[in-house]
Amino acid sequence: MRDFGSMAMMVIMTGCIDVPARQGESALSDGRLLGWAEWGPLDGTPVLLCPGAATSRWLGFGAGVVEALGVRLISVDRPGLGVSTPAPGRTFSDFAGDVRQLCARRGLERPVMVGNSQGAPFALACAAEGVASALAVVSGADEVARPQFASVLNADLRGLVERTACDPAGAEEFFAGFTADAMWDMVMAGSPGCDLAVYQDPDFAAAYRRALDEAFAQGPAGYARDTVLAMGRWPFALDEIAVPVDIWYGEQDTSHSPDNGALLAARVPGARRHVVPGIGGALLWTHAEPILTRLLEKAVTGRQTRGS
């Protein structure tokens, strides 16, 4: 279903990012550290971001918007990326457990979450395990290993999906050959012009490159583990997610989901799908205001429901 209403027609500034207002690391029960960055007021509504592939906590979104909406935006480095301690062999459930601990230590309770690009399945795992109270999937990496997609994937991607299924350890070793420069080149080569206008903005490009460099600071193993998990079959049950979910894709996004999230939305009970014209995978940065506004509505509804 295409459901974006008048917000899709808004002219919204691109490249709107700020440096974090606060950064830190929180210790988990096993002694590992989980790195985070925050924007917006400390007493704002917590919105936890699972960032995209091979990016660190440094790259936020919605500069000016988070302050205007009273959002406390928290971006988290997954294990092995940025400053978060590596956790070889980690699973989606392990990450949800890490986030649960982080929320307890940072006083976030059950925050609403945003999962962008490769961060989407990790955010969905948190929703499935009750860590999140509501979720926005934005330009989310879809479950491309599902049989329904086999015939529509390009040959290169289909080959990687099959390799991950048959030899996950070998696939993880292959993905460990990637670098920050390789990731930048891949994104630039695969993005439509509407996205390049965002990514190649000098301020955005500098922040994006820094986030890539920080993500690979401990080596490529964190990215490789993320990619094997995201590209394989997801072990959590989407049809058992019991929190509100909105799924957002740019109409020109050809890299994250073969069908702009139509099947994904159908698999999550009550999910609302929004397909926005005139943009591709850069949707998080061009349409931060409607994404966050709708997510905050879900946060208010959730609080009212729990208080009744």
Side-chain angles (χ1 to χ4, degrees):
M1 177 178 66
R2 180 171 301 177
D3 177 17
F4 46 83
S6 61
M7 5 183 224
M9 308 308 295
M10 297 171 64
V11 177
I12 301 173
M13 289 181 63
T14 61
C16 288
I17 52 173
D18 275 337
V19 298
R22 300 169 293 276
Q23 296 186 75
E25 300 89 39
S26 293
L28 303 177
S29 59
D30 61 1
R32 289 182 297 117
L33 298 177
L34 210 61
W36 49 265
E38 292 189 356
W39 296 258
L42 267 173
D43 61 352
T45 302
V47 176
L48 197 147
L49 170 65
C50 289
T55 57
S56 74
R57 59 183 177 166
W58 176 261
L59 190 64
F61 71 99
V65 175
V66 295
E67 291 82 7
L69 294 179
V71 165
R72 177 187 176 189
L73 178 67
I74 309 105
S75 181
V76 180
D77 284 340
R78 290 186 290 279
L81 279 73
V83 297
S84 289
T85 307
R90 61 184 165 87
T91 65
F92 284 118
S93 185
D94 290 336
F95 178 73
D98 288 350
V99 172
R100 193 187 300 276
Q101 288 192 53
L102 176 70
C103 291
R105 284 159 172 71
R106 299 288 300 159
L108 307 178
E109 298 185 359
R110 290 179 64 221
V112 296
M113 294 184 68
V114 175
N116 176 238
S117 186
Q118 197 174 81
F122 294 92
L124 284 162
C126 289
E129 296 206 14
V131 178
S133 60
L135 173 63
V137 171
V138 184
S139 307
D142 209 335
E143 190 179 4
V144 291
R146 287 189 66 81
Q148 294 93 325
F149 290 146
S151 63
V152 297
L153 300 179
N154 66 55
D156 290 341
L157 179 54
R158 186 167 60 250
L160 289 174
V161 169
E162 292 172 352
R163 181 173 185 174
T164 300
C166 297
D167 181 17
E172 192 162 345
E173 184 177 352
F174 169 78
F175 293 126
F178 277 68
T179 64
D181 287 341
M183 291 299 300
W184 170 265
D185 291 342
M186 183 173 68
V187 171
M188 294 305 109
S191 298
C194 54
D195 289 347
L196 292 177
V198 178
Y199 300 150
Q200 294 178 349
D201 172 85
D203 291 338
F204 187 94
Y208 191 13
R209 292 303 299 258
R210 174 169 178 170
L212 289 170
D213 289 341
E214 288 185 346
F216 281 93
Q218 301 183 74
Y223 163 72
R225 186 61 184 167
D226 274 4
T227 305
V228 165
L229 290 173
M231 198 166 285
R233 292 302 301 268
W234 298 349
F236 46 87
L238 293 178
D239 61 357
E240 294 180 4
I241 291 177
V243 301
V245 177
D246 281 86
I247 295 175
W248 297 80
Y249 284 92
E251 191 173 41
Q252 297 187 40
D253 185 352
T254 60
S255 61
H256 289 108
S257 172
D259 61 0
N260 278 146
L263 178 59
L264 180 61
R267 296 171 63 202
V268 179
R272 295 288 300 275
R273 175 173 169 252
H274 313 262
V275 180
V276 182
I279 194 62
L283 183 64
L284 183 66
W285 296 281
T286 61
H287 285 69
E289 185 171 5
I291 290 168
L292 286 172
T293 297
R294 184 164 178 83
L295 193 56
L296 291 178
E297 291 172 357
K298 300 298 178 65
V300 170
T301 301
R303 285 198 298 269
Q304 291 173 342
T305 300
R306 290 193 298 273
S308 61

